[in-house]
Amino acid sequence: MSRRDEILRIEDLYVHFYTYAGVVKAIDGVNMSVLRGETYGLVGETGCGKSVTMRAVLRLIPPPGRIVKGRVIFNGVNLLELPEEEMRKIRGAKIAYIVQDPTAALDPLYTSGFQVAETILAHEENVGKKSVWERVVSLFKSVLIPDAERRVKQYPHEFSGGMRQRVVIACAISEKPELLIADEPTTSVDVTVQAQILEVLEDLKKTQEMTMILVTHNLGLVAQICDRVGVMYAGSIVEVSDVFRLFEEPLHPYTRGLLNAIPHVTRTQFRLEPIPGTIPDLINPPPGCRFHPRCKHATGICKREKPKLREIEPGRFVACHLYRGD
Ligand code: SF4
C-alpha cells in the first residue's frame, strides 16, 4: 500500500479522560490507515473506543477528555496541529460525521430543511437563498426522502426515525465531503429501515466518490458493505484485514471470539460461544495485552508486554504475541 493511496492515517493516538474517579485511558496507541475510496469498518464492543477515535479525528473530544499524543494525517496534513479556524473548514466540509442518534442531532425548533441549509451556509459565503433552498431539496431527493419539496418545510418530530437519519445524512453530504464517518448510523432504526439507509449510503459513496468509515458493533453490516475492517479492543486496534479473510480466518483471539459469538446459518452448532469476562476497567487497565484476562491463549509475556500491530501477511495486521514470529 502506498501512502499516496491513504486519505487518513492515525499514528500512535492516545486519548485520556480526566475524571474524579481517575484517568480513563480510553485510547491507547491507535494506529489506523484508511485508503481513498474504500469503506472501512471499525468494529468492536460498546466502550472499546471506536467513537472516541473518530471524534479525535475531528478534534471533538469533549472535556474532561484530551488527546494526549499522536498524529491524525488527513490528505497529508496533521489535523492535530491545525489552528482551530482551519479545522473548522475541514469539519463538516471535507470530513463529515453522521451521529448515532438523529433525534439528538436535529434541533426540534427548526425545520429539517433549514438545518441542512444552515450547514451549507456555515461553509459557503455569497450563496443566494434560492439556490441554497434548491440544493436542500435536491439533497433530500438524493437521500430518497419522498415529496422533498414539502418535507423540507417540516420539523424533525414530523419524521420517522429512519427519515430523520436521512436528514442527518443530507446535512453530512451537503458539502460533498471526501471522507464520511458514519457512527452506528442504523442503531436507532429497525431492520428494514437499516437496509434502506445502508443502500442510501452505498449509493452516495459511489456517486460522490467518497471514502467511508463505518463505525459499528454489527458484524453483519460489516460483511455487507465494507472492504476492509479494523477490530478494536479496549482502546487499541488488534486486527486489520480485508473483509473476506477476516470472516474466513480471523487471527486475533478476540476477533475469533467475536465471530464465534454470532449465529451462523451454515453452521450446525447449537450453542454460541460468548467471550468470557467483561471489557476491562480503563482507569486501571490490565498490563501488557489488555485482552489477556479473557484470553485462553495468554502466556507470561502477554501479561507484561503490549503486543504491537504487525503485518504478518500482505494486508493482514494483528497485535498478538501468538504471531510474533521471533
Ligand atoms: Fe491472547 Fe496474548 Fe494474544 Fe493477547 S497477546 S490476544 S493475551 S495470546
Side-chain angles (χ1 to χ4, degrees):
M1 166 185 40
S2 132
R3 288 211 162 161
R4 275 178 306 164
D5 300 332
E6 284 178 337
I7 187 166
L8 179 75
R9 181 155 40 93
I10 301 177
E11 289 176 0
D12 212 20
L13 182 72
Y14 287 77
V15 179
H16 291 172
F17 288 83
Y18 297 84
T19 69
Y20 288 117
V23 180
V24 181
K25 291 123 194 145
I27 301 298
D28 186 55
V30 161
N31 288 290
M32 170 175 163
S33 160
V34 179
L35 305 181
R36 199 173 296 281
E38 74 173 342
T39 301
Y40 185 102
L42 189 59
V43 300
E45 287 165 288
T46 302
C48 69
K50 309 180 294 289
S51 298
V52 175
T53 304
M54 290 300 104
R55 283 177 174 273
V57 167
L58 288 164
R59 289 182 18 196
L60 290 175
I61 300 292
R66 189 147 50 85
I67 297 170
V68 178
K69 188 177 151 195
R71 284 165 31 106
V72 174
I73 316 287
F74 173 69
N75 280 338
V77 175
N78 183 5
L79 298 183
L80 301 188
E81 286 176 350
L82 280 186
E84 183 51 33
E85 202 180 315
E86 291 299 310
M87 194 59 212
R88 243 182 267 137
K89 291 181 193 156
I90 288 177
R91 258 187 235 121
K94 302 220 177 291
I95 306 177
Y97 194 89
I98 299 173
V99 292
Q100 289 179 23
D101 180 5
T103 309
L106 295 171
D107 190 327
L109 298 178
Y110 296 97
T111 63
S112 49
F114 177 84
Q115 297 184 58
V116 179
E118 238 190 350
T119 315
I120 297 171
L121 292 168
H123 292 283
E124 293 177 40
E125 289 166 5
N126 308 324
V127 268
K129 203 174 161 191
K130 187 162 174 275
S131 83
V132 170
W133 206 243
E134 280 167 3
R135 268 171 67 186
V136 173
V137 171
S138 132
L139 282 163
F140 270 47
K141 287 182 182 164
S142 67
V143 293
L144 307 181
I145 295 178
D147 198 5
E149 285 83 358
R150 185 175 64 87
R151 296 293 250 165
V152 290
K153 296 178 197 140
Q154 290 187 322
Y155 289 85
H157 74 269
E158 296 175 88
F159 287 73
S160 64
M163 285 294 163
R164 275 198 287 267
Q165 190 58 292
R166 287 172 200 228
V167 175
V168 171
I169 296 172
C171 279
I173 61 162
S174 60
E175 291 298 304
K176 291 196 184 341
E178 289 175 51
L179 175 63
L180 181 67
I181 301 172
D183 189 350
E184 307 266 14
T186 57
T187 301
S188 56
V189 293
D190 64 42
V191 184
T192 41
V193 179
Q194 179 177 306
Q196 292 164 4
I197 288 181
L198 284 183
E199 213 173 295
V200 167
L201 286 174
E202 278 196 290
D203 274 0
L204 288 170
K205 193 180 156 280
K206 277 187 213 135
T207 53
Q208 306 207 5
E209 295 176 358
M210 284 184 300
T211 305
M212 183 158 80
I213 301 178
L214 176 69
V215 177
T216 183
H217 58 263
N218 185 336
L219 288 164
L221 287 190
V222 169
Q224 226 177 312
I225 70 165
C226 292
D227 302 305
R228 289 194 311 135
V229 191
V231 181
M232 269 194 97
Y233 182 76
S236 300
I237 301 241
V238 294
E239 181 161 0
V240 179
S241 171
D242 61 83
V243 75
F244 297 107
R245 286 187 289 174
L246 187 98
F247 281 86
E248 273 299 305
E249 193 201 352
L251 297 177
H252 195 280
Y254 175 64
T255 318
R256 283 189 230 145
L258 274 185
L259 290 171
N260 283 338
I262 53 172
H264 203 290
V265 279
T266 58
R267 264 192 238 145
T268 50
Q269 84 208 69
F270 295 105
R271 277 178 181 275
L272 297 175
E273 284 176 44
I275 302 172
T278 54
I279 50 169
D281 168 12
L282 295 181
I283 293 179
N284 290 303
C289 172
R290 285 187 173 184
F291 188 58
H292 85 249
R294 303 173 76 183
C295 181
K296 61 183 176 195
H297 304 286
T299 58
I301 190 171
C302 305
K303 295 171 190 162
R304 293 191 308 271
E305 202 180 297
K306 185 182 173 184
K308 289 200 171 79
L309 190 66
R310 295 166 202 260
E311 188 167 23
I312 56 147
E313 56 184 80
R316 295 211 77 178
F317 298 80
V318 62
C320 172
H321 291 305
L322 290 177
Y323 302 92
R324 275 170 75 93
D326 53 37

